[in-house]
Amino acid sequence: MKADDAEEASIKTDQANVDFEIEVNSDLEVTEAWKLTTQIVTDYFDAIEVSDKETSYLRTAWSVQSFQQNTIRTRLIIKLSKSNPLTFKVKLNSEFSGTNGTSVKADEQFRDWDRILRKYKNVISDFSTRLAKK
């Protein structure tokens, strides 16, 4: 049996498909915090699908990577958790289809995956270190 190249390109983690609350450093204004948030997102993702500064909601487009035996799609969702103290919920969605070449739009073929691709392994910690209280 061939090794699953998607597993080799990923790490098993408890950060996939879970909301993480990040309390923003109180020295940061809301506008600064939102700007920093979008900068962190664009460090990892090319396309932001929805961004609403007024409601503090952001969702990236699915980023898809196809492997020999699997297709992985990943996206980031950020939403306001609390206004005082300013706290964001950050969720890294990671899903797999189990087959090669699955269309990113074939929602019914994807299931939650308890792994994340290595290129996203620092996303949550980047939010913590760059946004959180020092």
Side-chain angles (χ1 to χ4, degrees):
M1 187 166 134
K2 266 183 138 176
D4 184 347
D5 50 350
E7 285 210 13
E8 291 174 3
S10 64
I11 57 169
K12 190 170 181 67
T13 181
D14 60 355
Q15 293 184 347
N17 306 306
V18 175
D19 283 327
F20 285 90
E21 287 201 349
I22 310 289
E23 187 176 323
V24 176
N25 184 339
S26 57
D27 294 340
L28 288 175
E29 296 290 324
V30 175
T31 306
E32 290 176 89
W34 189 250
K35 183 177 179 183
L36 188 53
T37 298
T38 57
Q39 287 173 347
I40 296 167
V41 169
T42 56
D43 284 348
Y44 292 93
F45 292 87
D46 292 334
I48 294 176
E49 192 173 68
V50 178
S51 178
D52 185 352
K53 185 178 168 188
E54 297 305 311
T55 60
S56 298
Y57 180 84
L58 184 146
R59 184 180 67 222
T60 66
W62 286 108
S63 174
V64 133
Q65 190 161 349
S66 205
F67 294 92
Q68 288 179 350
Q69 295 123 336
N70 215 339
T71 303
I72 308 303
R73 69 179 187 176
T74 310
R75 77 173 170 196
L76 199 57
I77 298 173
I78 297 158
K79 53 190 168 191
L80 182 66
S81 177
K82 289 186 275 199
S83 296
N84 195 4
L86 182 60
T87 306
F88 292 122
K89 277 188 182 177
V90 179
K91 185 175 187 178
L92 184 64
N93 288 117
S94 183
E95 299 182 353
F96 76 104
S97 72
T99 58
N100 172 289
T102 308
S103 167
V104 70
K105 295 177 182 178
D107 293 338
E108 70 285 351
Q109 294 182 33
F110 284 93
R111 295 174 302 288
D112 284 355
W113 201 34
D114 65 350
R115 304 180 69 82
I116 57 174
L117 295 176
R118 291 185 193 279
K119 64 183 172 182
Y120 302 117
K121 72 179 182 178
N122 293 325
V123 170
I124 303 299
S125 62
D126 275 1
F127 278 101
S128 295
T129 55
R130 293 170 67 185
L131 275 180
K133 287 182 153 183
K134 302 284 188 258

